Amino acid sequence: MKCLSLGVLMLSGHESVSQLQSHLSRIYAKQNEKIGVETILMRLLEAASEVTSPFGLEEGGHGPFLRTLSWFFTFCSSDDVKIDIEQAVVRRYPELCPKCKQSGCICERTYGVAGRARHFGTSAEHFQSKAERMIANVSGDLRDLSWFSKTLSDIYLVNLARWKVNRYYFPTKLLRETGKLANGYRCYLNARDTAGKSHAKVRLENDAADFFAWLIAYWQLTASELPNANLQDRFVARYGNGCPYCHQIECACSPAMTRTNRAQIARLEDLDDNDDNKRKIEELIGDIINSLDQFPELDKKYKLELRQQKPAKEISLTLNKILGGLDKVDKASTSVENVVRKAGLLQSLLDSFIL
Ligand SMILES: [Zn+2]
Ligand SMILES: [Zn+2]
């Protein structure tokens, strides 16, 4: 039997979007076989709707983006769909806007009517040949998530102005694109045994490219308010060594913990009283609350928030705030180290059932 080196299976960070897509398929292939595309779309909608939450705009809010991206990859990789995201997005957005065909979108000024933009010079033929050149990737660009973030924001500089006026425009648009993707999939299924099949596939590829473009645009704008937020780095940190929970290249989580079954908004009281994790979590929360007495600089509401047994995700956000506050406490004392260590332990226990 040929022995595969683990190094080959882990991500180094220098992977294209196509390679990230295959990597994720490798992790979840067995689980994905057990669910249909309709279920995947439902989970994609759930993840995308979570991105609309104000939590997404706070520090630590990258989780929902990564989940949305991973369910989107799963949708595209499913046997019924089979879309190479990198190719589909490059074909739809070859450093040009598909509507006005300009490298800096002018749809805002032309109200999205392509005909009005024609006199600016870029023809449909030019668009087509640019797309083909880019698909061939003669220049050998590494088209990773950062490349797409930059390329798409260069086309849509207008998004920055939109963001400043109304940031909720983006999650609204993202939900709309999720609906269009589900609709595009249904159209494709209906056309599957007809002459319109390849046309429906191209339309679905365009729907997928649009979804990706809006997700990336929204991430890029949100990331401008988060420290160290590079989507490629975040993706690699989360999935680089395989499943983030069981740490296997092919996920081997227990049935209740697989990504298809795991609940995203879980409360401590949902766990069985005899559950070891529940006991450890409660113990750590109690310890942290007691330790906070030593830090009058920290906001008193953190203790209250920890005591309230809110959903695990909110406890996790409170921990982030506490850690942020401790960062500012100017003493590298053992008591600070102690709270940081306990918060780290608690965070990983919470992560094991909220993501
Ligand atoms: Zn445009
Ligand atoms: Zn796993």
Side-chain angles (χ1 to χ4, degrees):
M1 194 172 85
K2 198 179 162 200
C3 191
L4 277 174
S5 149
L6 270 183
V8 176
L9 298 173
M10 289 175 181
L11 297 180
S12 69
H14 301 288
E15 281 83 12
S16 66
V17 166
S18 286
Q19 288 167 321
L20 298 181
Q21 186 180 354
S22 319
H23 178 76
L24 207 72
S25 293
R26 193 161 42 223
I27 300 175
Y28 294 121
K30 283 202 186 111
Q31 294 184 17
N32 294 341
E33 273 171 19
K34 295 176 198 151
I35 51 173
V37 179
E38 296 289 346
T39 306
I40 294 170
L41 281 171
M42 191 176 77
R43 295 303 298 264
L44 176 62
L45 176 64
E46 188 182 332
S49 68
E50 206 190 344
V51 173
T52 67
S53 148
F55 294 128
L57 306 176
E58 290 180 14
E59 187 179 349
H62 53 274
F65 279 100
L66 291 176
R67 269 202 298 283
T68 306
L69 194 61
S70 82
W71 281 109
F72 173 65
F73 279 10
T74 302
F75 169 76
C76 292
S77 301
S78 64
D79 282 344
D80 280 350
V81 176
K82 290 252 174 283
I83 289 175
D84 181 307
I85 298 164
E86 185 179 330
Q87 298 278 311
V89 180
V90 166
R91 188 176 291 119
R92 176 91 166 143
Y93 298 91
E95 296 178 331
L96 299 168
C97 165
K99 273 192 193 163
C100 65
K101 313 216 171 353
Q102 304 293 306
S103 55
C105 172
I106 53 164
C107 289
E108 201 87 339
R109 277 184 278 150
T110 58
Y111 303 100
V113 179
R116 294 191 192 181
R118 219 170 270 149
H119 63 277
F120 285 91
T122 311
S123 65
E125 294 73 32
H126 170 75
F127 184 90
Q128 190 62 33
S129 64
K130 178 96 197 279
E132 277 157 22
R133 276 200 313 278
M134 289 202 61
I135 289 165
N137 197 10
V138 181
S139 53
D141 284 334
L142 172 67
R143 294 192 293 225
D144 60 4
L145 291 166
S146 303
W147 185 91
F148 279 101
S149 292
K150 182 172 184 322
T151 303
L152 291 164
S153 44
D154 284 351
I155 305 173
Y156 295 105
L157 285 173
V158 63
N159 280 343
L160 202 57
R162 282 182 176 142
W163 178 254
K164 284 180 183 152
V165 175
N166 175 14
R167 61 181 54 193
Y168 288 99
Y169 176 82
F170 294 86
T172 310
K173 198 71 190 166
L174 187 64
L175 282 181
R176 177 74 188 103
E177 294 303 323
T178 317
K180 279 163 83 174
L181 192 62
N183 184 65
Y185 172 66
R186 209 169 307 118
C187 290
Y188 173 60
L189 276 191
N190 291 337
R192 202 151 49 169
D193 301 320
T194 72
K197 179 186 167 183
S198 60
H199 184 57
K201 181 70 188 281
V202 171
R203 275 207 317 249
L204 181 59
E205 282 171 356
N206 287 343
D207 288 335
D210 290 349
F211 178 89
F212 181 85
W214 280 104
L215 179 67
I216 296 291
Y218 183 31
W219 162 269
Q220 185 70 14
L221 293 159
T222 306
S224 64
E225 298 178 0
L226 300 173
N228 311 319
N230 172 299
L231 190 52
Q232 177 87 3
D233 290 351
R234 297 283 196 184
F235 186 95
V236 171
R238 183 157 179 80
Y239 299 107
N241 296 333
C243 167
Y245 299 102
C246 63
H247 308 292
Q248 305 288 316
I249 291 294
E250 284 180 21
C251 174
C253 284
S254 65
M257 282 299 296
T258 60
R259 88 200 255 260
T260 45
N261 296 336
R262 200 165 41 227
Q264 275 164 22
I265 300 175
R267 291 172 182 272
L268 281 186
E269 59 256 38
D270 296 341
L271 294 181
D272 189 279
D273 276 342
N274 297 320
D275 189 308
D276 273 351
N277 278 343
K278 181 175 183 175
R279 270 204 301 271
K280 279 185 217 154
I281 288 170
E282 284 175 343
E283 207 178 288
L284 282 166
I285 288 180
D287 281 358
I288 293 172
I289 289 174
N290 289 338
S291 315
L292 289 184
D293 283 339
Q294 305 165 58
F295 306 104
E297 306 91 324
L298 294 191
D299 201 321
K300 292 201 174 37
K301 74 171 193 246
Y302 297 155
K303 281 173 77 168
L304 194 68
E305 281 178 19
L306 287 181
R307 251 190 219 113
Q308 281 171 337
Q309 297 228 335
K310 288 179 163 185
K313 184 175 163 180
E314 292 178 38
I315 297 179
S316 197
L317 285 169
T318 304
L319 285 177
N320 274 337
K321 289 186 226 158
I322 292 173
L323 290 173
L326 285 174
D327 251 2
K328 294 186 192 103
V329 175
D330 191 24
K331 47 182 174 182
S333 65
T334 42
S335 45
V336 171
E337 275 173 29
N338 202 21
V339 180
V340 170
R341 188 180 55 81
K342 283 185 175 158
L345 279 175
L346 179 55
Q347 195 87 58
S348 56
L349 278 172
L350 292 171
D351 275 351
S352 67
F353 76 99
I354 60 169
L355 286 173

